[in-house]
Amino acid sequence: MTTRASVSHAAWRGTLTVSTMLVVTSACAEKPSKAAPPATIRGAVTESQLTSITLTPDAVRRLGIETVSLDSTAMAPTRTVGGEIVVPPGQAIPINAAVAGSVASMSAGVFPIAGQRVTQGQPLARLVPITPDMARVRQELATADARLRQAQLEADRVASLYAEKLVATRDQERAQADLAAARAALEAAQTLEQVAGGSAPAASVGSITIAAPSAGVVRTVSVAAGQIVSQGAPMFEIVRLDRLWVRVPVYAGDARLFSRHVPASVHALTGDQAGNGTMALVAIPVTAPPSADPLAASVDLYYAVQGASFAPGERVGVTIPLAPATGGTTKSRALAIPLAAVARDLSGGAWVYVQTDSLTFTRRRVEVERVTGGMAVLALGPARGAKIVTTGVAELFGTEFGAGK
């Protein structure tokens, strides 16, 4: 009896165990359904699958497409720092009152303003002399006569030096302008003496026309119409913009790293030294009075730029070669292509066209690290040996995106 009951209990327990395992196995087999993705991308194209352009032999000939083989080139190391456009000494010309008088505009309601561009000899304002006493008139007459003689001697000396090509044209122009101003001041003083002595009527005292001694920009206006000024009082300041300097403050500890006798390149901050935006201009090192900022622990380097549209005070980028003794002893080799081979899209991305066969060209993305001597140094781009299009890039770019259709 006991044995039968034990067997029945064991069988019931075995059945329960098998049933439990079947339930667990069934539960494990029922996996939850996978959630649908939030977005589905169809026909995705990678950059390696960009559109290829196939031209006819006649089209290749008409476009004059030329290529170069991408290879490593020895490039001198450079560093890009910030700079400021400044007016060099001698480019700012002050205009002072020749005699005491009242300032008047050349025409009603028209008076020079700061920032106005002027041409050489352009009238700026009128100065109506005030009749002083006889003693002061005679003193001013003697002073004007002495200044005229000095200006005449200086003009003759500069003229002889200019004839021997020992001074610049601007020095001769400045000497002639000083001579003309001294002559006008003497004539005004002589007229005032006649009026003060009673030998001429007061109505004969005319106004003195204040003209721009050189073409440039009016930087400072120190007087207003109707203002009474004394003799020698500052009135205007004209800045010549045909030649500007770039002041480059660098950390004093790094000053020795730069080659100070090698031309640098200057580019506006609207572009970059990698060729995105405005093109870089060559900057020639110049000798300038030493200057530094002890608070910033910096010293200043100076370069001259010509033919630039920069404004005084504008911030620019300057790419300076490194000195041979501090990292430039051996030129590093890098993948470089002519800058003309790089095309820019609306987002500023850089691209080149690779010739995959004689008539097929494919656009590839590149990353320009820097530009040196008209060559774009690549940090990322096609493999070495790829044939890069250098002439006809704009035409291929327009063909791919439908320009001119």
Side-chain angles (χ1 to χ4, degrees):
M1 188 71 179
T2 304
T3 303
R4 184 178 298 176
S6 299
V7 172
S8 300
H9 180 71
W12 175 82
R13 186 171 59 181
T15 302
L16 180 62
T17 303
V18 173
S19 300
T20 303
M21 292 178 62
L22 290 174
V23 171
V24 172
T25 303
S26 176
C28 293
E30 296 178 359
K31 296 182 179 179
S33 59
K34 187 177 180 180
T40 302
I41 302 176
R42 296 184 179 90
V45 178
T46 62
E47 288 191 358
S48 61
Q49 300 173 331
L50 290 175
T51 304
S52 295
I53 303 174
T54 302
L55 302 177
T56 63
D58 183 60
V60 173
R61 179 184 57 80
R62 285 188 290 104
L63 293 178
I65 292 179
E66 299 179 0
T67 62
V68 295
S69 181
L70 181 59
D71 197 2
S72 60
T73 306
M75 306 297 294
T78 60
R79 181 176 297 182
T80 301
V81 294
E84 178 187 3
I85 300 296
V86 297
V87 178
Q91 292 292 96
I93 306 175
I95 302 177
N96 301 327
V99 295
S102 175
V103 180
S105 59
M106 294 302 301
S107 59
V110 178
F111 201 77
I113 59 175
Q116 175 182 341
R117 289 187 175 271
V118 296
T119 58
Q120 183 176 3
Q122 177 179 338
L124 302 178
R126 294 183 298 113
L127 185 61
V128 181
I130 299 176
T131 305
D133 56 28
M134 192 60 182
R136 180 174 298 179
V137 167
R138 290 176 178 174
Q139 180 182 0
E140 292 180 357
L141 179 60
T143 303
D145 184 64
R147 288 180 177 175
L148 177 59
R149 290 197 302 269
Q150 178 63 29
Q152 184 65 57
L153 293 175
E154 180 67 15
D156 294 341
R157 185 182 68 84
V158 173
S160 61
L161 293 176
Y162 180 75
E164 298 177 3
K165 298 183 179 180
L166 297 178
V167 295
T169 303
R170 64 175 181 273
D171 296 327
Q172 185 192 28
E173 293 175 352
R174 188 175 304 164
Q176 293 298 325
D178 293 342
L179 178 61
R183 186 177 291 113
L186 178 61
E187 293 175 356
Q190 291 173 346
T191 304
L192 286 177
E193 182 189 28
Q194 295 174 3
V195 172
S199 59
S204 64
V205 182
S207 61
I208 301 175
T209 300
I210 307 299
S214 175
V217 174
V218 179
R219 182 166 69 174
T220 305
V221 178
S222 303
V223 294
Q227 179 179 345
I228 304 299
V229 296
S230 60
Q231 182 179 2
M235 299 182 65
F236 306 100
E237 185 181 42
I238 308 297
V239 178
R240 298 179 58 177
L241 301 182
D242 55 340
R243 187 170 63 95
L244 296 172
W245 282 5
V246 183
R247 183 181 66 87
V248 185
V250 297
Y251 174 58
D254 292 342
R256 62 182 182 84
L257 301 179
F258 299 99
S259 181
R260 303 192 182 189
H261 304 290
V262 178
S265 62
V266 179
H267 57 272
L269 296 183
T270 53
D272 56 39
Q273 56 93 26
N276 180 18
T278 55
M279 297 298 295
L281 298 176
V282 176
I284 307 300
V286 294
T287 302
S291 60
D293 185 354
L295 297 180
S298 64
V299 296
D300 297 330
L301 307 180
Y302 288 91
Y303 296 86
V305 290
Q306 291 184 345
S309 58
F310 299 127
E314 181 178 352
R315 298 289 296 179
V316 295
V318 185
T319 302
I320 308 176
L322 298 181
T326 58
T329 44
T330 57
K331 295 183 177 182
S332 59
R333 302 193 66 84
L335 294 178
I337 57 176
L339 186 59
V342 180
R344 294 280 180 176
D345 57 24
L346 292 177
S347 302
W351 304 83
V352 297
Y353 281 95
V354 179
Q355 185 179 22
T356 55
D357 60 40
S358 60
L359 300 176
T360 305
F361 305 89
T362 303
R363 182 164 53 93
R364 299 288 176 84
R365 182 184 294 275
V366 295
E367 182 178 328
V368 181
E369 178 181 340
R370 68 180 188 274
V371 173
T372 302
M375 299 292 291
V377 181
L378 302 183
L380 179 67
R384 180 180 301 178
K387 292 184 178 180
I388 308 298
V389 177
T390 57
T391 302
V393 177
E395 289 77 5
L396 291 175
F397 200 77
T399 301
E400 180 178 354
F401 292 97
K405 291 184 178 180

